[in-house]
Amino acid sequence: MAGPTSSEFIEGNASTVQAGQSGDYRFALIALTSLFFMWGFLTCLNDILIPYLKNLFELNYTQAMLVQFCFFGAYFIVSIPAGNLVGKIGYQKGIITGLVIACVGCLLFYPSASFASYNMFLCAFFVLAAGITILQVSANPYVSALGPAETASSRLTMTQAFNSLGTTVAPFFGSWLILSTIEHPDSVTELDQVIGTLSAAEQASTVQVPYLILAGALFLLAMTFLFLKLPQLGKKTVEEQVAQSSKSAGSAWKYPHLVMGAVGIFVYVGAEVGIGSFLINFLTQDDIGGLTESQAANYIAYYFGGAMVGRFIGALVMQKIKAGKVLAFNAICACVLIGLAMFSAGTVAMWALLLVGLCNSIMFPTIFSLALKDLNQHTSQGSGILCLAIVGGAVVPLLQGMLADSLGIQLAFILPLLCYGFICFYGLVGCDAKRPQGSN
């Protein structure tokens, strides 16, 4: 998932920390950029594993969506403790801690596959996401600190682009190393026959090598950051920021545009994750794409690649047009495309849903920035509220799974459509809701 991340409020203050820092941190910035790539890559792999695990354990859609529930639920549970942890050990050690925990999460896929246990897989997803959460809380401030304050925004944009690159590349990796290993592309019937001859443990073992490779990559990154010289963003700085945030506790809730913005983040992340989670199952339907799972996995790259391309287009457009109007326009386009996907068939339905990724591109950062507008001293708390709203990625896909079980996968997309409808309302009306007088 692209966009700002947990404890993002520290980013805004990090540029003040970097005053007095000197030296060439080019290699450090490259290393940090690799982190953004990695967590985008790991997050997108969930969309590959959901249909894989669904078939393996004969799950219904609701049960399969527990993958996203556990993964994004970790953001909600771990974000605040992660911020406290970083406040005690500092940013660089926080990055190393996040990488190690994420590495452990990847390693847990090995015994989960050996025992062919869905519950163990869910635990592995939670641990992996917990590590990524700590990693994001720690890594973002460094991007702002590595260079002049006036160019911090461009550095953040660049690293976010690599996050999107990770989500674009991951489907090819998952298709090649996971789905294709048990598939015969000649026919679905032949695939069912092949799978039927394998035990659950033999089928599950397909994920062991890919996640061992990822665990090794995360461990190497942890070792790199252990010996890397980075700006000393000390623990005192973090403690001061936390103290400053606590002074205005509760006040941010008085701003209706922030509250509605939190709902906007909740439904946006939920819609984006929900669509991505169902893409493979949607494209494999005979009346849509008739693809095998490994073939369908490659098409997910168009969904997330569209978001990457749209981010650069949106950045240029919003220099001329108000952000709220651009947000509403993208949301309307997303509603139209989802409507086409729901009530048409074949390539029209297929490409309509894939093009929603292009509409997603500017939504997260735009909602985030509009919601924080004019919060002044309450910005820190407001940002924390918005970050917790990422839990929408856990709740909405689960509800969509329930709808898919009762109404069918195609009609279940009514839930993301309603989510984008609210985002349209927020862009046109909600973001300009009257602020309370005398609350600044």
Side-chain angles (χ1 to χ4, degrees), residues 99 115 133 146 170 183 196 201 272 284 348 353 362 388 391 420:
L99 285 167
F115 290 100
T133 302
L146 292 175
E183 283 192 356
E272 182 199 38
T284 54
V348 173
L353 197 61
I362 55 93
L388 290 176
V391 74
Y420 287 115

Side-chain angles (χ1 to χ4, degrees), residues 1 60 152 188 202 254-255 276 303 315 360 369 435 440:
M1 188 191 72
N60 59 30
V188 176
E202 288 173 328
K254 297 179 181 179
Y255 293 79
Y303 179 68
N360 286 339
S369 60
R435 283 87 175 175
N440 290 338

